[in-house]
Amino acid sequence: MAQRAGFTLAEITQLLADDTTPSATRQWRDMATRKLPELDRHIAQTQALRQAVADCLECGCMKFDQCVLLDTTDAAS
């Protein structure tokens, strides 16, 4: 799951490490603090894609480039 979310193997290793020394804990916290905004972006993008797929399914067109529910030209005017 972490790899699909964009974590490197080194970051995953750090997430799963049993090292509880103050230095390792500080490194883990720093990495986690940096990664949270990335995870939030990943979640938002995934939710937007899910909504687009659901909209196309509702529309019945099954083509993002032709879906009237995803047409943003009307929303911009």
Side-chain angles (χ1 to χ4, degrees), residues 13 19 24 27 30 36 38 46 57 59 70 76-77:
T13 300
D19 189 352
Q27 289 174 357
D30 291 346
L36 281 177
E38 290 178 39
T46 302
L57 183 59
C59 173
L70 296 179
S77 49

Side-chain angles (χ1 to χ4, degrees), residues 2 7 9 11-12 18 26 30 36 39-40 43 46 53 55-57 59 62 65-66 70 74:
F7 282 77
L9 292 179
E11 290 169 334
I12 294 168
D18 287 335
R26 186 173 43 259
D30 291 346
L36 281 177
L39 286 170
D40 289 339
I43 291 166
T46 302
V53 170
D55 288 348
C56 279
L57 183 59
C59 173
M62 304 312 292
D65 62 340
Q66 298 174 6
L70 296 179
D74 290 336

Side-chain angles (χ1 to χ4, degrees), residues 8-25:
T8 66
L9 292 179
E11 290 169 334
I12 294 168
T13 300
Q14 189 175 1
L15 281 173
L16 300 175
D18 287 335
D19 189 352
T20 58
T21 62
S23 175
T25 300

Side-chain angles (χ1 to χ4, degrees), residues 8 12 16-18 32-33 35 38 49 57-58 64 68 73:
T8 66
I12 294 168
L16 300 175
D18 287 335
T33 300
K35 293 304 277 189
E38 290 178 39
L49 176 59
L57 183 59
E58 183 180 326
F64 284 172
V68 295
T73 55

